[in-house]
Amino acid sequence: MDGKDKMSSFEHKGENHEFTLTNRKYLSMSGVKEVISYNEHQIHLETVQGSCLVKGNGLNIQHLNLENGKLVVEGEISTIDYNVSGGRGFINRIFK
């Protein structure tokens, strides 16, 4: 495998984004690029598929590994909302 093949494999791996929600209390997510902000009521993320907002009560990040793109959240999860077109909408609107 030459250097080009290695890069293609890495880029393809980085494009995967999945999440598993168990009993609305345990969220496991892959493809996380950045945690923009969080508190016990919401977690704002940037994923390989766009901006994501997780809302609920008592949210707590149990595990975060940005190198692997893995995130685990525990708490009462009520909403998972994606905004793939806007990304960081506020910043994008300022610099249009």
Side-chain angles (χ1 to χ4, degrees):
M1 181 183 292
D2 64 13
K4 185 176 178 181
D5 290 338
K6 287 180 185 176
M7 184 59 138
S8 297
S9 174
F10 176 76
E11 287 176 355
H12 177 72
K13 181 179 177 186
E15 294 298 318
N16 292 330
H17 173 62
E18 298 177 333
F19 72 85
T20 302
L21 181 60
T22 306
N23 295 325
R24 293 181 55 189
K25 295 190 183 301
Y26 183 85
L27 174 66
S28 177
M29 187 177 283
S30 66
V32 175
K33 294 169 53 176
E34 178 182 4
V35 175
I36 297 168
S37 66
Y38 78 95
N39 60 43
E40 67 179 276
H41 299 291
Q42 66 182 23
I43 302 171
H44 186 190
L45 308 166
E46 186 65 32
T47 75
V48 296
Q49 299 275 313
S51 181
C52 176
L53 187 62
V54 178
K55 293 183 181 180
N57 291 308
L59 300 179
N60 188 19
I61 295 176
Q62 294 295 312
H63 176 78
L64 175 64
N65 184 331
L66 294 177
E67 186 174 307
N68 294 327
K70 304 288 184 184
L71 171 76
V72 174
V73 176
E74 289 185 10
E76 184 182 317
I77 298 163
S78 59
T79 305
I80 300 172
D81 187 24
Y82 286 89
N83 179 8
V84 293
S85 63
R88 289 185 178 181
F90 177 72
I91 299 297
N92 289 340
R93 286 190 301 266
I94 289 174
F95 293 107
K96 268 191 171 180

